[in-house]
Amino acid sequence: MSTITGNALKSGQPPIIPLTFSANQPKTIRLYPLSNYTFGVKEMQPEEDPSVVARLRRLEEHYTEHGMRRTCEGILVCHEHNHPHILMLQIANAFFKLPGDYLRPEDDEVEGFKTRLDERLAPVGKLGENEAPGDWEIGECLAQWWRPNFETFMYPFIPAHVTRPKECKKLYFIQLPNSKILSVPKNMKLLAVPLFELYENTARYGPQLSAIPHLLSRYNFEFYDEEGNIVAATPGGATNGDMPQTKVLASGDDADTDMNSGENGAN
C-alpha cells in the first residue's frame, strides 16, 4: 500500500489524503491475475433436463420427497488489468451460471458444495496430480435467492404470502489461491467476465448474475501481479490502458465460441 501511495504523491498535483474510511469494513480481498491460473477441458457433463419444464418437474419431485432444495454456487474472482473478473460457465451457448449446483439431500452444506465445485471445475487425470479433492476456500454467503413456487422466478427475499419456498440458492464468495488448475466440461465454456459487463446487465445475464457487482461492493481489493507484488488497490491504482473484456478461458469442441449469443442466466 505504501508503494502505491508513494507513487501517487509523486504526481504533479498530489491527492489530498482523507482520514481513514474503513470502519467495520470486511477484510480486504486479494485478487490474483488471470494469467496465474491454468485452464483445461474434461469430459462433457450433459444437462440433466432437456427443457425448463422437465427441470421444474424434477424440482417438484425433489420437494415432494425431500422438501426445499438447497443449491450453492460460487463467486470466484480474479483480475485482469486491475479490474475484478468473475469466473462463470456458459452452458450449451444458451445461458450463464456460476460454478456449483443443488446439494444432494444427505449432503452437509459446505462439504457438499465443495464436491459440486469439484464436479464442475476440478481437473482430472495427470493434469490434476497436485490438486486435492475439495480444495476450495468457502467464504461468506453473499446472497440468498428463493424460489417460492415451481416456476423459473427467484427472488432475493421470501414473498410475504410464501411459507414453504421450493428452493433456496446461496451465493458464496470463493477465495481463489495465487494459482490453481481448473478444468471445464467440454460442452461448456469457462469465462472471465468483468464486473462492469455484469453491472445492471439483466438482459444478458439475468438478475442474479447482474447483482454480483453490488454484492462485491462491500469489499476492498488488492491486485497482485504474477510475482506476488501489489500493483493496485482500492481505491485508486493505475492500469496499463487496456480495456477489460470477457474472455473465454476454456472451451471444448462441443461448446460454441460465439460470445454474443448467450441468453440471460436466470435459472
Side-chain angles (χ1 to χ4, degrees), residues 199-220:
Y199 180 60
E200 293 190 335
N201 196 352
T202 56
R204 181 169 176 79
Y205 295 101
Q208 296 173 37
L209 301 182
S210 61
I212 289 176
H214 293 280
L215 302 178
L216 294 180
S217 67
R218 63 196 299 258
Y219 295 112
N220 287 328

Side-chain angles (χ1 to χ4, degrees), residues 1 16 32 220 222:
M1 289 294 291
I16 299 173
Y32 298 98
N220 287 328
E222 290 178 341

Side-chain angles (χ1 to χ4, degrees), residues 49-57 151-152:
D49 307 301
S51 66
V52 173
V53 172
R55 184 168 73 241
L56 294 176
R57 185 183 301 117
E151 41 188 46
T152 57

Side-chain angles (χ1 to χ4, degrees), residues 90 93 96 189 204 257-263:
Q90 188 177 20
N93 210 38
F96 304 91
K189 287 185 287 187
R204 181 169 176 79
T257 56
D258 180 8
M259 278 304 304
N260 296 316
S261 58
E263 299 170 0

